Amino acid sequence: MKTQNSSNEPNWTQPNQTTGTRSMKASNWRYLKWFIYFVCGILIAYSVVPWQAAGNAIGTAIVSLPLVRQLQTVPLLGLLISLIVWILPNLMSVLLWALTQLIEITPVLLHDPEIYNATIKQLRTHEASQPSDHPTVEKFQKKVSHYLIDIFRNIGTYAALAYVTELTVNLWYYLPYGTGWNDFVRDFGVWDASLIKWSDFFLMIGSIAVVEVLVLFMLNVHRFFKAISPRTAKHI
């Protein structure tokens, strides 16, 4: 009788083991995905180096101005001026880099159906907002929506200008030709292949393209993990 009763008792061990294994797999997938994102973030940060160098060059040029040199000799004020000259160019260079990358990757992001639909829905919601107790806020929201819609309509032009800007900064930083700008300008249009610094050239191309390539890669990673783990998509 004891054997029969024990065989009729429900077995709770197997479902718990299955649930635990499934939870462990979901956790592993989540860690792997965020590790990939972390590595991609480090590689993306590589493209900010030329912009920081440009910011340092601008800061050095500002410090060399006679007026700034005189102000730096004033007690306390000179310390403040030096701090501003050190922070402002670096901060502006990072902000310009971030804005340039955002403009460049916007066409890439809008090709994703989820991002595109969410963006359009949000813009239409603000554009068709109902009258409220704050007409100034309502008017501002509608202006912002119209402005963003206009940007999205001409995003190709803005992206092209952003690429030209980034190419200029990277070309200044790497200068993959000859011994300097004199050689580059002298041979403009008829560059000698033997004078091209191919290592710097490919570093320049990588710096320009790395953000867009890795953003596309991360979008595909997101789709991949979502496809292989539909039941745990909310946890990954």
Side-chain angles (χ1 to χ4, degrees), residues 167-189:
L167 175 62
T168 302
V169 173
N170 280 271
L171 186 62
W172 167 83
Y173 179 74
Y174 289 104
L175 193 58
Y177 184 84
T179 58
W181 280 105
N182 291 333
D183 293 343
F184 183 83
V185 174
R186 183 195 62 202
D187 299 342
F188 185 80

Side-chain angles (χ1 to χ4, degrees), residues 92-178:
M92 290 302 297
S93 63
V94 173
L95 292 177
L96 286 174
W97 168 82
L99 178 62
T100 301
Q101 302 306 321
L102 178 62
I103 295 173
E104 290 177 358
I105 66 175
T106 297
V108 177
L109 295 176
L110 291 178
H111 276 84
D112 184 270
E114 293 183 5
I115 297 176
Y116 178 81
N117 292 332
T119 302
I120 295 301
K121 182 179 179 180
Q122 186 69 19
L123 291 176
R124 287 177 177 174
T125 299
H126 285 291
E127 189 178 16
S129 59
Q130 299 298 324
S132 64
D133 296 334
H134 303 282
T136 303
V137 175
E138 177 191 350
K139 185 177 180 180
F140 176 76
Q141 288 179 346
K142 289 185 176 181
K143 284 185 177 181
V144 170
S145 298
H146 284 298
Y147 181 68
L148 291 176
I149 290 173
D150 183 65
I151 289 178
F152 287 142
R153 286 175 179 172
N154 302 280
I155 192 61
T157 302
Y158 293 123
L161 293 175
Y163 276 113
V164 171
T165 303
E166 188 169 22
L167 175 62
T168 302
V169 173
N170 280 271
L171 186 62
W172 167 83
Y173 179 74
Y174 289 104
L175 193 58
Y177 184 84

Side-chain angles (χ1 to χ4, degrees), residues 3-108:
T3 305
Q4 185 177 359
N5 291 336
S6 62
S7 62
N8 292 333
E9 292 178 357
N11 185 1
W12 299 104
T13 306
Q14 186 63 29
N16 290 337
Q17 290 178 348
T18 303
T19 303
T21 303
R22 186 179 301 168
S23 177
M24 185 179 299
K25 288 182 179 180
S27 179
N28 291 338
W29 285 126
R30 183 172 66 250
Y31 292 146
L32 177 59
K33 187 185 76 168
W34 286 109
F35 175 75
I36 293 174
Y37 288 168
F38 174 74
V39 174
C40 289
I42 294 177
L43 295 176
I44 286 175
Y46 152 74
S47 66
V48 78
V49 174
W51 294 83
Q52 287 183 323
N56 291 331
I58 293 173
T60 302
I62 294 175
V63 171
S64 63
L65 294 175
L67 177 61
V68 176
R69 288 182 177 178
Q70 292 179 359
L71 291 175
Q72 285 180 325
T73 60
V74 179
L76 296 180
L77 178 61
L79 180 62
L80 179 62
I81 293 296
S82 299
L83 185 62
I84 293 175
V85 169
W86 180 75
I87 292 178
L88 189 59
N90 289 280
L91 179 62
M92 290 302 297
S93 63
V94 173
L95 292 177
L96 286 174
W97 168 82
L99 178 62
T100 301
Q101 302 306 321
L102 178 62
I103 295 173
E104 290 177 358
I105 66 175
T106 297
V108 177

